[in-house]
Amino acid sequence: QVQLVESGGGLVQAGGSLRLSCAASGSILSINDMGWYRQAPGKQRELVATITSGGSTNYADSVKGRFTISRDNAKNTVYLQMNSLKPEDTAVYYCKAAVGVWRKRQDDYWGQGTQVTVSS
């Protein structure tokens, strides 16, 4: 059993900031890549940012320079600092982690999603 629990979403005005957190729990042996994705109404889920176990990061062009992904391996937690938010950032944000568990190959696990709404 692996669970990803997200927090930090909410309603902000354009130009504001939010910090999302996602903590993994359960019978975890290892966590490799982690990332954030988002899905707006009527659109497909898209990648926002990823971070490897070694700290290498990648960002969607639309968020480069505004968002920062980070992780705390001791806490099995990934963060997404979102600055200079725009209305087009409005979406449900999901975290994902590649997790290794006992007697099972590594697999991807998803959080439940947290709503981010940017108004203006």
Side-chain angles (χ1 to χ4, degrees), residues 6 9 18 20 36-40 45-46 48 63 66-67 80 82 85-95 110-118:
E6 304 176 19
L18 285 173
L20 306 183
W36 290 93
Y37 297 73
R38 67 187 182 187
Q39 187 168 21
R45 189 173 300 184
E46 65 177 354
V48 176
V63 306
R66 300 188 298 120
F67 291 10
L80 185 68
M82 304 185 294
L85 284 163
K86 305 175 181 179
E88 49 263 47
D89 295 319
T90 296
V92 177
Y93 283 70
Y94 300 88
C95 64
W110 290 87
Q112 78 286 352
T114 184
Q115 178 70 49
V116 172
T117 303
V118 184

Side-chain angles (χ1 to χ4, degrees), residues 22-43:
C22 178
S25 62
S27 301
I28 298 171
L29 293 180
S30 63
I31 301 179
N32 294 306
D33 292 0
M34 306 182 80
W36 290 93
Y37 297 73
R38 67 187 182 187
Q39 187 168 21
K43 297 183 179 180

Side-chain angles (χ1 to χ4, degrees), residues 2 4 10 13-14 23 27-28 35 41 43 50 58-59 61 80 88 96 108-109:
V2 175
L4 305 183
Q13 292 187 332
S27 301
I28 298 171
K43 297 183 179 180
T50 60
N58 285 291
Y59 297 92
D61 288 341
L80 185 68
E88 49 263 47
K96 185 178 77 171
D108 290 337
Y109 293 82

